[in-house]
Amino acid sequence: MKILVTGGLGYIGSHTCVELAKNGHTVVIVDNLSNSKLETLDRLTEITGARMAFYRVDVTDYRATAEIFAAHTIEGVMHFAGLKAVGESVEQPLAYYYNNVLGTITIAKLCLEYGVNKFVFSSSATVYGDQASPLYEDMALGQTTNPYGETKAMSERILTDVTKANPRFAVSLLRYFNPVGAHESGLIGEDPNGIPNNLMPYVTRVAKGLLPCLRVFGNDYDTPDGTGVRDYIHVVDLALGHVAAFENLQPGVSIFNLGTGKGTSVLELVHAFTAENGVAVPYEIAPRRVGDVATCFADASRAARDLGWRAKRGIREMVRDAWRFESATKGTKGTFPFVR
Ligand code: NAD
Ligand code: UDP
């Protein structure tokens, strides 16, 4: 099928483009390059052997995006395009509501206008708020604590209402847990600008000597070693989850957790990184980060049952592939100053 992938040059979108191509789909990418690089398109060709159609377009631009729908017989959409930095969303709420909510509305509207009934949406475990883990898809949406999370909850509600009014519309809301790792080729991976907010890219940059020391945010949580526990999922498993969700789309809304169902603490991840890669990661214990919960992991049984999908890669593969990508990557990341 011909699938429009919004945000297809970003971290998760690019890995999903690879798996879609491997499964015989034709990919059309739209990305405004606000958080990605054009060179990723060449990397996708290197990995898949296919040159994917690419449009540098902002998905909040209805007219420009409509031209893509007019030029291709799109049969389904995977909507990854969005801003994703929680802290930034608190400082710039309008930018987040505008980009993420208007982007979803624009893409959904064009789907209806062009008779595209298959829609896969990038949601997040953040929509559960601070409810106790394991988190189940049937739980009510939780209290989101920042504008980013609210854009995901709002987009879920908008897409749900669209399917109620359009019974042939098939939407899969995929709630990601903590995507980490990189493609095994080392050609694509997570490459955030500036100082990373998330644990894994911070760890890889400390390991590479680009940052002096990891700050472990709290060791007094009610967890086995006191540090925060999360459900890390290899990005290639996540990408494969999208292919499974797309191929099993049913009219109406389906919701799936994409996680492993297993929690790993900050220190477990750091020790696994050092053991697997033989590289030290200096760290210090710092105060808790505002807004963090102690533990967050999925109940991953629905995706296993309904999609026949299960994450196969463990923490060792995640830290190995993250490090391979970081070791291979040159360029802007080396240029920012050391911070203490
Ligand atoms: P990313 O920033 O690497 O990728 C997003 C891509 O969308 C980027 O290439 C960016 O340039 C593009 N983009 C943003 N706004 C756009 C717009 N208006 N028009 C066109 N392109 C636009 O992020 P990612 O980690 O790959 O995340 C993909 C999606 O998954 C996002 O919607 C994100 O909120 C969601 N998500 C990510 C995580 C995570 O931890 N990475 C967790 C849960 C959900
Ligand atoms: N974390 C940390 N130091 C960092 C970044 C993150 O100790 O520099 C911890 C954080 O407190 C949480 C876990 O690592 O327990 C995962 O954080 P991340 O920001 O990657 O994901 P999220 O908070 O969205 O689950």
Side-chain angles (χ1 to χ4, degrees):
M1 285 207 185
K2 195 177 237 193
I3 302 173
L4 182 69
V5 181
T6 78
L9 294 187
Y11 175 44
I12 305 166
S14 59
H15 289 80
T16 305
C17 288
V18 169
E19 300 307 325
L20 286 171
K22 274 169 67 178
N23 280 272
H25 298 289
T26 302
V27 172
V28 176
I29 298 173
V30 52
D31 199 304
N32 66 0
L33 301 181
S34 60
N35 196 35
S36 51
K37 300 191 183 80
L38 193 51
E39 123 194 0
T40 300
L41 191 62
D42 298 329
R43 304 278 176 102
L44 291 176
T45 305
E46 216 173 318
I47 296 168
T48 65
R51 188 69 187 174
M52 294 167 187
F54 170 68
Y55 295 86
R56 182 176 186 172
V57 161
D58 193 302
V59 295
T60 62
D61 182 338
Y62 171 82
R63 280 172 191 271
T65 312
E67 285 179 23
I68 305 171
F69 278 79
H72 296 270
T73 310
I74 303 291
E75 295 168 276
V77 167
M78 291 203 184
H79 181 40
F80 294 94
L83 301 173
K84 63 167 182 176
V86 170
E88 189 181 66
S89 80
V90 175
E91 286 156 20
Q92 302 175 36
L94 282 179
Y96 273 69
Y97 285 114
Y98 188 91
N99 194 72
N100 292 6
V101 180
L102 186 56
T104 300
I105 291 172
T106 307
I107 295 295
K109 180 169 157 56
L110 285 165
C111 282
L112 296 184
E113 287 170 6
Y114 284 84
V116 179
N117 288 321
K118 294 176 186 293
F119 196 111
V120 173
F121 178 65
S122 296
S123 190
S124 166
T126 190
V127 300
Y128 290 113
D130 61 0
Q131 301 181 81
S133 292
L135 298 162
Y136 297 89
E137 293 90 342
D138 287 337
M139 285 173 159
L141 293 185
Q143 186 67 48
T144 51
T145 52
N146 55 73
Y148 166 72
E150 193 56 32
T151 67
K152 292 296 174 191
M154 285 171 109
S155 294
E156 285 202 2
R157 291 192 188 102
I158 290 166
L159 293 168
T160 302
D161 288 342
V162 171
T163 59
K164 284 183 191 153
N166 299 274
R168 287 173 44 187
F169 205 51
V171 174
S172 200
L173 305 174
L174 302 183
R175 295 178 178 164
Y176 311 159
F177 281 71
N178 287 57
V180 295
H183 192 260
E184 61 175 12
S185 63
L187 289 169
I188 54 173
E190 189 175 17
D191 190 16
N193 293 322
I195 296 170
N197 294 309
N198 295 115
L199 179 62
M200 185 68 97
Y202 208 105
V203 164
T204 59
R205 289 183 191 187
V206 170
K208 201 175 182 181
L210 297 172
L211 290 166
C213 180
L214 171 70
R215 299 176 73 227
V216 175
F217 296 141
N219 68 347
D220 56 354
Y221 285 108
D222 185 15
T223 59
D225 66 16
T227 65
V229 167
R230 296 290 183 274
D231 186 342
Y232 298 96
I233 174 168
H234 195 294
V235 66
V236 172
D237 278 327
L238 189 62
L240 289 166
H242 286 72
V243 177
F246 185 82
E247 292 180 346
N248 286 281
L249 275 168
Q250 308 289 338
V253 176
S254 312
I255 305 176
F256 294 104
N257 286 339
L258 294 185
T260 64
K262 182 178 178 305
T264 302
S265 76
V266 175
L267 288 183
E268 281 172 336
L269 187 133
V270 169
H271 296 322
F273 186 94
T274 298
E276 181 66 19
N277 299 314
V279 189
V281 180
Y283 66 84
E284 63 188 21
I285 305 299
R288 291 182 180 192
R289 187 171 64 178
V290 176
D292 274 358
V293 296
T295 301
C296 174
F297 62 91
D299 176 282
S301 57
R302 182 184 284 181
R305 187 191 67 209
D306 293 357
L307 304 178
W309 170 89
R310 209 183 276 281
K312 297 204 176 84
R313 293 159 182 80
I315 289 289
R316 284 183 64 184
E317 287 96 332
M318 299 183 209
V319 295
R320 180 196 66 199
D321 293 340
W323 179 235
R324 185 189 288 122
F325 176 70
E326 181 73 55
S327 315
T329 311
K330 299 184 188 68
T332 51
K333 288 190 305 180
T335 62
F336 60 81
F338 276 42
V339 274
R340 280 213 179 264

